[in-house]
Amino acid sequence: ARSGYAVGPSLASVDPKRAIDAAMRAPFSQQNLKLDYTTYVLRGSASDTQRVVMSMAAELPVASSDGVGADVVFAVRNVGNGRIVAADSDRIPLPEAPRPGALVGTSYYRVQFEVPPGVYLMRVVVREPGGLMGSADRRFSVRALAGPGVTTGDLILGSAETTGLPVRVSAHRGEALSGVLEIYGRSPAQLDAVQVNIELLPFGAEVATMFGRAALDAVKSAGDRVSRAARIELPFGDVEPGE
């Protein structure tokens, strides 16, 4: 704390590239803009790499007539050797209207890249046209999905709020929760007898409130790469609201 007050430079007048570069190098993330994102890991196009899909939701001001969007930049660093393994920049459109009861709306951004198995640290920076920025970090692990045994990618659940890959899954009481899980193997025989059991548990509880079993698609073969999709459909009925 100190006495006095100094007016800093206008956020809009700062060079966008320099501002974003500084946010990428900063030791801590910024929350002038709220953004959330998550990652999904699936089998990649080669045996030594896996596909990572990042899905992000950012709270941004409503679009104006000039049509200028928000800048988004991300970088992925290998925790083991410190190397940048994936990075890119893009521009996303601002929301057309605010959320009910709010002054801002939500814009979505999705990107995919392939990396070898390992532990990674990802930073995403978003800058809106007025100069406000937000950033968020995520540490995640990428498993090897091309081994001799049966492996699975991440479970992708549907959401009542947005189509595609949700950042935070939500559903309404009386509806059904749907999702898909990819199962991988070396031969069709490995996946012929696979079963996928489902449990729905309240957060922090040890006893499930619902049980089910996924429906399995036919086995798909592409050379020595075999996969099978398991589709989940859980009708909530009178399940109590909560996490």
Side-chain angles (χ1 to χ4, degrees):
R2 64 180 176 83
S3 61
Y5 176 78
V7 179
S10 169
L11 289 173
S13 65
V14 178
D15 179 65
K17 185 178 186 306
R18 291 178 58 190
I20 292 174
D21 288 345
M24 293 295 290
R25 295 192 302 266
F28 304 106
S29 60
Q30 302 183 26
Q31 284 297 316
N32 292 324
L33 292 177
K34 185 178 184 301
L35 59 96
D36 294 313
Y37 69 94
T38 190
T39 51
Y40 298 90
V41 179
L42 305 171
R43 189 165 66 177
S45 59
S47 60
D48 59 344
T49 60
Q50 314 305 330
R51 180 160 56 106
V52 179
V53 183
M54 185 270 282
S55 179
M56 181 198 73
E59 292 187 355
L60 294 170
V62 176
S64 59
S65 58
D66 55 18
V68 177
D71 295 308
V72 55
V73 178
F74 76 90
V76 183
R77 185 185 302 274
N78 188 311
V79 173
N81 55 30
R83 293 179 180 177
I84 298 293
V85 296
D88 203 357
S89 62
D90 205 344
R91 181 163 287 184
I92 56 177
L94 298 177
E96 295 294 330
R99 297 194 316 274
L103 299 176
V104 296
T106 304
S107 291
Y108 300 96
Y109 175 71
R110 298 179 181 93
V111 69
Q112 62 180 348
F113 49 88
E114 294 198 355
V115 294
V119 180
Y120 296 92
L121 182 64
M122 184 175 190
R123 171 165 289 187
V124 179
V125 176
V126 177
R127 183 183 189 274
E128 55 92 18
L132 290 177
M133 289 194 301
S135 62
D137 297 332
R138 176 174 172 81
R139 185 186 178 101
F140 62 96
S141 298
V142 175
R143 299 172 288 115
L145 300 178
V150 174
T151 58
T152 67
D154 285 340
L155 173 62
I156 300 175
L157 295 173
S159 174
E161 295 181 351
T162 179
T163 59
L165 299 170
V167 178
R168 297 184 183 276
V169 180
S170 62
H172 300 298
R173 190 173 184 178
E175 296 182 344
L177 182 67
S178 61
V180 63
L181 176 73
E182 284 194 349
I183 310 167
Y184 310 114
R186 287 288 183 88
S187 67
Q190 283 182 305
L191 305 185
D192 282 342
V194 164
Q195 291 183 351
V196 179
N197 298 316
I198 309 162
E199 290 184 351
L200 182 69
L201 294 89
F203 186 76
E206 298 182 358
V207 179
T209 58
M210 291 186 67
F211 302 89
R213 180 167 291 178
L216 297 170
D217 290 356
V219 177
K220 295 182 179 180
S221 299
D224 61 346
R225 301 169 65 82
V226 180
S227 64
R228 192 173 191 182
R231 303 193 179 276
I232 294 170
E233 192 79 17
L234 272 183
F236 281 146
D238 59 353
V239 172
E240 289 297 322
E243 296 186 344

